[in-house]
Amino acid sequence: MGQVVDTETAKEFMKETLERVDPDELSAICAAVEAKSAWFRQTFARDALADLSSDDWATALARVFSTRGEPRQLLAALELADVRGRVDALLWGPGDVAVRFEDFAISLDGVPKSVARDFSSELLHFTDPEKNWLWTRWMWDPKAKTGAL
């Protein structure tokens, strides 16, 4: 399989998009994303995970786009002790991140796999954005071959 993204077209699209976005609005979006990441880094830090409360868990679910409606209800119903262990294994466990990612998504019984993967991606990315790319269905869904990319 060749190159999936037409780099020059993507650059042109980005240039045109940035020309149309109000700089103040872009700054507000950046500030909101940075605040979200700061909250995730603090809440899901390895040494803070043991103190993860049900309110923290509910807030995390509310801050992730894909965990709305029924998926949020399913995830909110998980036992907090299980949640802590699963999140700890995803974020801080040994081994390859791709394996931990899939293990976490599979462990979320009853949650649609696409939602579980989006949630896994957001947890990884916003907890350590320098190390983990944000990769969700809306960016690129390999199954449907659609997305922003």
Side-chain angles (χ1 to χ4, degrees):
M1 185 169 158
Q3 182 176 351
V4 177
V5 176
D6 179 345
T7 306
E8 289 307 311
T9 302
K11 284 180 183 178
E12 184 62 29
F13 173 76
M14 208 48 186
K15 180 182 170 202
E16 287 181 28
T17 301
L18 291 174
E19 287 172 357
R20 295 177 186 185
V21 175
D22 179 303
D24 291 337
E25 187 177 349
L26 189 57
S27 291
I29 291 168
C30 289
V33 170
E34 288 171 357
K36 179 177 179 176
S37 182
W39 185 87
F40 272 74
R41 286 191 317 270
Q42 178 182 344
T43 303
F44 294 105
R46 187 147 207 194
D47 59 343
L49 208 46
D51 297 325
L52 182 72
S53 70
S54 56
D55 287 343
D56 292 332
W57 183 242
T59 300
L61 297 176
R63 294 187 104 166
V64 174
F65 178 77
S66 66
T67 58
R68 295 174 188 231
E70 184 181 354
R72 184 178 297 171
Q73 294 168 358
L74 294 168
L75 289 163
L78 295 173
E79 290 293 323
L80 195 53
D82 290 342
V83 166
R84 285 188 195 106
R86 292 174 189 185
V87 172
D88 182 68
L90 170 67
L91 300 176
W92 311 110
D96 185 59
V97 70
V99 173
R100 296 191 329 258
F101 176 93
E102 280 301 318
D103 288 347
F104 181 80
I106 290 167
S107 79
L108 301 177
D109 295 329
V111 177
K113 291 301 166 222
S114 56
V115 172
R117 287 185 179 112
D118 287 350
F119 185 50
S120 299
S121 180
E122 289 216 27
L123 281 172
L124 283 163
H125 174 71
F126 285 105
T127 301
D128 193 347
E130 297 295 321
K131 185 176 174 185
N132 301 298
W133 287 26
L134 179 62
W135 196 267
T136 58
R137 283 176 287 161
W138 63 268
M139 294 178 76
W140 179 254
D141 184 343
K143 200 175 255 184
K145 299 195 183 309
T146 61
L149 296 180

